[in-house]
């Protein structure tokens, strides 16, 4: 049963052993490092874009050295863009600490239907979740078949992680 879970969630016996001890395995640490680099690059680009727009909007004010006649809305927009850019740049210095959470119990399945796409067009999409106790985890449709309704599992997940989320590993505990 654990082999089926390993294949569905992409973890190894070594990952599971580390997660049992409340640690990330070397492979999971590498994944965090990879995601961190990718996300920090996105943060840097978004920060530069927000800062560039703020500077572009404030150039006329800086050249005239006067705020007279400037609408409060424009000043607020400039301040908001500067704050957003600062927020993105602060994400570059965020430490990637991951706490391993675990929950154990009988698995229940739920699914939710979605009928509207991001651009407002009608679609039908089903999202799958498993519920263990009070915890709910989003899973992919191909991972759905790795579980048996009502059976007992222990799920290890990333908590308080900026660049890693979701299920790290799962173990089958029986009926």
């Amino acid at each position: 049963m654990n082999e089926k879970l390993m294949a569905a969630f992409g973890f190894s016996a070594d990952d599971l052993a580390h997660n049992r001890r409340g640690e990330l395995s070397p492979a999971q640490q590498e994944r965090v490092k990879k995601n961190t680099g990718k996300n920090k690059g996105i943060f840097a680009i978004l920060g530069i874009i927000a800062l560039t727009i703020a500077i572009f909007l404030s150039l006329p004010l800086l050249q005239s050295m006067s705020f007279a006649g400037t609408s409060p809305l424009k000043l607020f927009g400039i301040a908001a863009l500067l704050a957003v850019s600062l927020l993105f740049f602060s994400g570059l210095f965020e430490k990637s600490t991951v706490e391993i959470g675990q929950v154990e119990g009988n698995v229940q399945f739920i699914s939710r239907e979605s009928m509207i796409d991001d651009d407002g067009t009608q679609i039908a999409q089903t999202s799958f979740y498993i519920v263990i106790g009070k915890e709910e985890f989003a899973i992919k449709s191909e991972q759905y078949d790795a579980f048996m309704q009502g059976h007992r599992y222990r799920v290890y997940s990333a908590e308080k992680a900026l660049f890693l989320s979701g299920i790290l590993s799962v173990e089958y505990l029986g009926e």
Side-chain angles (χ1 to χ4, degrees):
M1 179 56 79
N2 280 339
E3 291 79 23
K4 189 175 184 180
L5 291 164
M6 287 179 191
F9 286 92
F11 66 93
S12 67
D14 184 52
D15 295 332
L16 180 59
H18 277 83
N19 296 160
R20 283 179 181 144
R21 294 190 305 264
E23 306 168 347
L24 288 177
S25 70
Q28 291 168 331
Q29 289 173 5
E30 200 57 40
R31 195 167 67 215
V32 169
K33 191 183 295 184
K34 180 181 168 188
N35 289 346
T36 299
K38 194 183 310 179
N39 289 338
K40 284 187 177 186
I42 292 169
F43 281 3
I45 290 168
L46 292 175
I48 290 169
I49 290 170
L51 185 60
T52 303
I53 294 170
I55 290 171
F56 177 76
L57 291 175
S58 63
L59 271 178
L61 301 174
L62 295 173
Q63 289 173 339
S64 68
M65 297 298 274
S66 171
F67 294 114
T70 305
S71 77
L73 189 59
K74 184 174 183 177
L75 291 174
F76 177 76
I78 292 169
L81 283 167
L82 288 171
V84 166
S85 68
L86 183 63
L87 181 67
F88 283 126
F89 287 132
S90 70
L92 297 175
F93 304 103
E94 188 73 30
K95 290 284 186 191
S96 297
T97 58
V98 178
E99 291 183 19
I100 308 297
Q102 73 176 24
V103 62
E104 183 179 314
N106 295 339
V107 164
Q108 300 299 317
F109 297 120
I110 60 172
S111 61
R112 295 191 181 106
E113 294 291 326
S114 161
M115 302 308 286
I116 298 177
D117 198 4
D118 292 337
D119 62 359
T121 58
Q122 295 268 335
I123 62 160
Q125 178 182 345
T126 304
S127 300
F128 297 98
Y129 302 86
I130 59 166
V131 178
I132 300 177
K134 294 180 182 178
E135 297 291 325
E136 182 178 299
F137 300 96
I139 59 172
K140 298 174 186 166
S141 59
E142 58 270 14
Q143 295 169 328
Y144 192 82
D145 293 331
F147 292 97
M148 290 188 288
Q149 175 88 346
H151 286 234
R152 195 163 186 77
Y153 293 86
R154 183 177 298 126
V155 175
Y156 299 93
S157 62
E159 295 184 351
K160 298 180 182 178
L162 185 60
F163 301 114
L164 182 69
S165 63
I167 295 175
L168 297 171
S169 58
V170 184
E171 60 184 320
Y172 179 72
L173 301 176
E175 288 188 57

